[in-house]
Every structure is written in structure tokens, then in C-alpha cells.
Amino acid sequence: MANCKNCGAVLTGTLLVCEYCQTRQDVDLSVVHRFTVEEPRSDRFCPRCHIPLQTVDLRLGKKFLIERCQRCLGLFFDPGELEAFLELAVTNVHAVDPQRLNEVQNVKRSHEYPVTYIDCPVCRRLMNRVNIGSRSGVIADQCRDHGMWLDGGELRQVMEWMKAGGSLVQKEKELEMARLELELEKKKLQFGRIDQSFFHARPEPGQRDIELDILPMIGRLLQKIFR
Ligand SMILES: [Zn+2]
Ligand SMILES: [Zn+2]
Ligand SMILES: [Zn+2]
């Protein structure tokens, strides 16, 4: 949890402005104890404010350069950089804290920006909106070729979600999905074999059951996907 540097009030969700004293603050990089501003490594522009982005070194044991906008405090990560950052910044999460996770997933969201597609800071093409970890509550903007944009406050939200065990839950769900898919494939194989034998022999009495068996499984799979 981050606190307002001015009055100490708790800053929830992706809020950058304190609800009590209205102080605006950088909550994302507060976890990085010392970062330094470098010479700009490119002519990348902020997709929100259209001003040049600053290059900062997060100094996570080694040089770790990302871009950020001084005005809106949005951050741009090259492909793979966000994952690398999170791996270094959020460690030792071995258990899920369901209560905390619930709090994190239902926090107030900053409504500073309307839901809209924004340009990639590098190629200026429209980016895709992607859900980070499906339930972290953060929808980032991603250019497949150049990286990921997070609005101010969103990085902290992702970190809080991870600390509460969100990514553990996510991994568990992915495993469960893989298991279901495997089960489904196995059933399909079984089914296919019976289908083949159908031409040579009369169907076995139990055959219909297998077909019926697959339906609830597909239902479960769809539920997983669209939840
Ligand atoms: Zn305050
Ligand atoms: Zn900006
Ligand atoms: Zn791009």
C-alpha cells in the first residue's frame, strides 16, 4: 500500500491524486528506491500527452532502462521488460491472500482517461488493449513489436495484485485449463477410435455415453475462458 507523501492517507487502486489533499504523486516508481534520468535513448513520445518520453534507469542490480512521461507518469516497457521488472520487484510470494486479493481486484480505478485506443510511442500505430493477468484490473496497451504502455498508477496496481497472490491464482487457472484441454483431446481420440470402428462393427451400447460426457467438459472449458 502506498501512502500520500503529503498527508499520509492511503492511496488506493490506480489513483495518483490523493483524495484528501489532492496532491499528485508518482506511486509507481516509489518501489524503486533510486532511479536516475538518462539521456533519452530515442525520440519516443507519450501516447497521452504527445511530449517526448524520458528515459529512466531503474537500477535493479544492473542497468534497467524504461521510458516514462514526466507529465502523466505513464510508463513504457520494451517487450519482456515488464515481466523482467515484476520478477525482480515482486519476490517471495508463495501464498494467496484471498481477502487482500479481493480488495486489490475491486479497488477504485482512476478514470482519468476515456476507454480508447492509443498510439504506440515507437511506430505510432494503434496498440491493443490487453488484460494483465486477466483479473488484476489493469488493462494495458500493447504494441506487439515495441512493448507495453501502463498509465500512471497501473504498475503499482499490478504489483499489489501479484503480492496478494494474483499471479499464483492465474497460474493455477492456466494449469487447470491445460488439464481440461488434455482431457478433451483424450476424449476426442477415444471418440475418433470408436468412430472408425463404427464402419466395421455395430456401435457398442456404451458409446453414446462418451459423447454426452464431452458436453459438460466443453461447457466447463468455455466457462473458464469467458470468466
Ligand atoms: Zn494527501
Ligand atoms: Zn504523458
Ligand atoms: Zn509499435
Side-chain angles (χ1 to χ4, degrees):
M1 278 274 182
N3 292 83
C4 170
K5 288 202 175 80
N6 185 42
C7 75
V10 173
L11 297 164
T12 56
T14 58
L15 302 180
L16 291 175
V17 178
C18 174
E19 290 179 284
Y20 297 93
C21 69
Q22 311 305 319
T23 305
R24 186 180 171 80
Q25 48 220 316
D26 186 356
V27 293
D28 285 326
L29 297 188
S30 59
V31 289
V32 185
H33 300 295
R34 14 167 226 160
F35 62 90
T36 49
V37 177
E38 303 276 298
E39 282 294 305
R41 60 175 167 174
S42 63
D43 55 357
R44 297 174 175 190
F45 274 71
C46 173
R48 298 279 185 204
C49 320
H50 307 286
I51 57 170
L53 290 173
Q54 199 179 43
T55 299
V56 296
D57 183 358
L58 301 182
R59 304 171 68 175
L60 297 167
K62 56 182 167 137
K63 236 181 171 24
F64 198 107
L65 300 178
I66 64 167
E67 265 91 30
R68 92 170 183 151
C69 175
Q70 277 169 277
R71 189 180 293 167
C72 68
L73 304 177
L75 300 169
F76 190 67
F77 294 85
D78 286 352
E81 267 182 359
L82 179 61
E83 294 82 346
F85 170 80
L86 291 171
E87 214 156 278
L88 288 166
V90 186
T91 51
N92 294 317
V93 182
H94 304 298
V96 180
D97 180 343
Q99 197 193 331
R100 179 81 191 106
L101 190 58
N102 194 43
E103 278 167 21
V104 171
Q105 286 173 344
N106 294 299
V107 287
K108 280 194 205 87
R109 315 263 315 127
S110 159
H111 293 296
E112 245 181 298
Y113 306 108
V115 175
T116 177
Y117 290 91
I118 51 172
D119 295 341
C120 167
V122 183
C123 66
R124 314 282 164 93
R125 281 198 293 254
L126 286 182
M127 291 189 277
N128 296 312
R129 291 166 58 77
V130 292
N131 229 325
I132 295 187
S134 82
R135 284 213 61 198
S136 66
V138 170
I139 296 174
D141 299 275
Q142 184 183 38
C143 170
R144 249 176 236 278
D145 296 330
H146 302 109
M148 183 109 66
W149 174 264
L150 292 182
D151 286 318
E154 289 185 334
L155 180 65
R156 182 175 55 119
Q157 170 73 2
V158 174
M159 285 192 283
E160 296 285 347
W161 176 77
M162 283 182 74
K163 278 184 212 158
S167 49
L168 295 179
V169 173
Q170 174 73 9
K171 255 177 224 146
E172 189 52 48
K173 267 193 194 156
E174 280 167 10
L175 273 175
E176 175 65 16
M177 277 282 292
R179 264 199 298 271
L180 278 171
E181 266 163 38
L182 198 72
E183 242 180 283
L184 194 61
E185 283 303 314
K186 263 199 261 175
K187 289 280 178 192
K188 269 202 255 168
L189 269 177
Q190 256 179 316
F191 203 49
R193 223 175 290 139
I194 288 169
D195 226 28
Q196 273 176 358
S197 61
F198 187 73
F199 296 102
H200 306 290
R202 297 177 71 87
E204 298 291 319
Q207 188 190 326
R208 185 83 194 130
D209 295 344
I210 293 169
E211 188 179 2
L212 288 176
D213 221 28
I214 293 181
L215 291 175
M217 209 184 307
I218 292 174
R220 260 149 69 206
L221 197 62
L222 289 177
Q223 255 176 17
K224 292 264 172 196
I225 295 169
F226 294 107
R227 187 151 64 195

